[in-house]
Amino acid sequence: MGKGGYKIRVNSISSGLSKSEIMQGLMQKDWLSNVAQKTVPSRTFGTADPASTSLVRYLIHESSEYVTGNDFIVEEDAGATVPGVPLFSSP
């Protein structure tokens, strides 16, 4: 991308399904609970805090100055990302 000279870093965080403010409405859907019971080994969803928030704090801190071009995968446990489940759901 070539934006390092401007001190622009580009990273992404790919999270599995987790309880968070943005996912609150989706997490209350019965069908999603049924999907979790069949596909998520722990039968539950994680929370965004502390896993994602700790990672975000690191990425915005100057100690990650040379970290760029990465995709960080944050999941509660292996297989928690369910293919085909939309990240955003209309009411």
Side-chain angles (χ1 to χ4, degrees), residues 20-76:
S20 64
E21 185 178 333
I22 197 168
M23 298 290 288
Q24 184 177 15
L26 184 61
M27 290 296 178
Q28 294 173 359
K29 306 283 185 187
D30 289 336
W31 65 266
L32 187 60
S33 178
N34 292 336
V35 169
Q37 292 298 317
K38 295 175 183 173
T39 59
V40 179
S42 66
R43 308 283 189 259
T44 186
F45 298 111
T47 59
D49 192 37
S52 295
T53 54
S54 296
L55 177 56
V56 169
R57 275 189 242 133
Y58 167 70
L59 289 173
I60 63 175
H61 192 268
E62 63 186 37
S63 64
S64 67
E65 180 179 1
Y66 297 104
V67 178
T68 189
N70 293 287
D71 181 30
F72 295 89
I73 299 172
V74 179
E75 292 188 0
E76 193 226 328

Side-chain angles (χ1 to χ4, degrees), residues 72-90:
F72 295 89
I73 299 172
V74 179
E75 292 188 0
E76 193 226 328
D77 59 42
T81 302
V82 182
V85 175
L87 291 178
F88 301 99
S89 178
S90 58

